[in-house]
Amino acid sequence: FKQKTAYEIKEYDWSSDVCSSDLTEIKKTLEDKRLAEEKVKITQEGYNQAINNADAKFNSTHYLEARSEYQVALNYKPDESYPKLKLSEIDEILEKLQKEKQTAYNRAKASADSYLYQKKYAAAKSQYNKAIDILPEEEYPKLKLKEIEALLALEEADTKQKEELERLYNESIAEANNFFKNVDYLSAKAGYQKALSYNPNSSFAKKRINEID
């Protein structure tokens, strides 16, 4: 029996000794192995990329974005403990930040309410806007700002009305004084009475009417 050389073994036509079904099975096994290895590679690369992105977001305090990336990492490798630990850490940080925000919001809201009660509208508006900046989803400070605008509008209208009454009063007094100076007492009295319709508390107009009477 003559032993085959290595070259002869390499060049041997294996297909002559192996049936076609065995070759097909071997090829399938090799392809399955290749696909499995490719899947592992893709999974690991995707996981690594998601972790790198998540860590970068976390370190820059963009916690919500970091949480999304850690979730992506878990989609690639659900059993990994690292992203789960980071997600728990993020939840704790966000809870702490939310409590701090709520405290700051409550402080600004209370300050604004106090200023509003004192009718210090500019200061109240400033604090309500601060509260909105802290918790934009809260409706209370937005409603109070609308209330302040309505109060300011009423205050402005009241001021204009008082200014107009003051103008009419002064005109009536000036006219009545002129009649009084010219000894036209009936016209003067009517003028002072007209002035009283604009300013019922005018002691000057009442005094002149008494003098005329």
Side-chain angles (χ1 to χ4, degrees):
F1 179 75
K2 182 180 179 182
Q3 187 175 1
K4 292 181 179 291
T5 65
Y7 176 78
E8 289 173 324
I9 294 174
K10 180 178 179 182
E11 294 297 313
Y12 183 77
D13 183 7
W14 291 94
S15 61
S16 61
D17 289 350
V18 182
C19 67
S20 60
S21 61
D22 289 339
L23 281 175
T24 301
E25 185 65 28
I26 291 172
K27 289 181 180 179
K28 182 177 182 306
T29 300
L30 292 174
E31 179 64 14
D32 289 345
K33 182 180 179 181
R34 186 190 68 79
L35 291 174
E37 291 174 348
E38 184 67 19
K39 182 178 180 181
V40 169
K41 179 182 177 183
I42 292 173
T43 297
Q44 188 63 47
E45 289 176 350
Y47 173 83
N48 291 342
Q49 184 62 51
I51 288 296
N52 289 337
N53 292 340
D55 286 344
K57 296 294 184 182
F58 182 90
N59 292 332
S60 59
T61 69
H62 296 149
Y63 299 117
L64 293 178
E65 295 176 27
R67 184 163 63 183
S68 296
E69 290 293 340
Y70 286 125
Q71 290 286 4
V72 170
L74 280 177
N75 289 338
Y76 282 108
K77 302 182 78 174
D79 296 329
E80 285 292 327
S81 60
Y82 178 75
K84 294 178 183 178
L85 290 173
K86 298 302 288 185
L87 285 171
S88 296
E89 186 177 347
I90 287 173
D91 287 342
E92 291 177 4
I93 291 172
L94 291 177
E95 183 179 358
K96 180 182 177 182
L97 290 175
Q98 184 61 32
K99 287 180 179 179
E100 291 174 353
K101 280 186 175 183
Q102 190 65 52
T103 299
Y105 169 83
N106 291 341
R107 188 181 300 116
K109 174 177 168 290
S111 179
D113 288 343
S114 177
Y115 282 129
L116 179 57
Y117 179 78
Q118 300 172 60
K119 297 185 178 180
K120 296 180 179 179
Y121 299 126
K125 286 177 66 175
S126 176
Q127 289 299 308
Y128 283 129
N129 280 317
K130 182 178 179 180
I132 290 172
D133 288 339
I134 297 169
L135 291 179
E137 68 276 10
E138 289 293 332
E139 289 297 320
Y140 179 82
K142 298 173 186 177
L143 294 174
K144 299 306 284 187
L145 284 174
K146 290 181 180 179
E147 180 182 334
I148 289 175
E149 291 302 321
L151 290 171
L152 288 173
L154 288 174
E155 194 174 79
E156 183 180 0
D158 185 57
T159 298
K160 288 182 178 179
Q161 183 182 36
K162 287 179 179 178
E163 290 174 351
E164 179 64 11
L165 289 173
E166 182 69 16
R167 184 185 68 81
L168 294 171
Y169 168 81
N170 290 334
E171 287 181 357
S172 298
I173 287 294
E175 185 180 32
N177 284 341
N178 189 51
F179 285 130
F180 188 87
K181 181 179 178 182
N182 292 311
V183 198
D184 185 351
Y185 296 123
L186 288 178
S187 296
K189 182 178 180 179
Y192 290 126
Q193 287 174 333
K194 183 179 181 182
L196 283 173
S197 71
Y198 299 125
N199 183 4
N201 298 319
S202 173
S203 58
F204 176 79
K206 293 176 181 179
K207 179 182 177 182
R208 279 298 173 88
I209 289 172
N210 289 334
E211 290 177 10
I212 293 171
D213 289 342

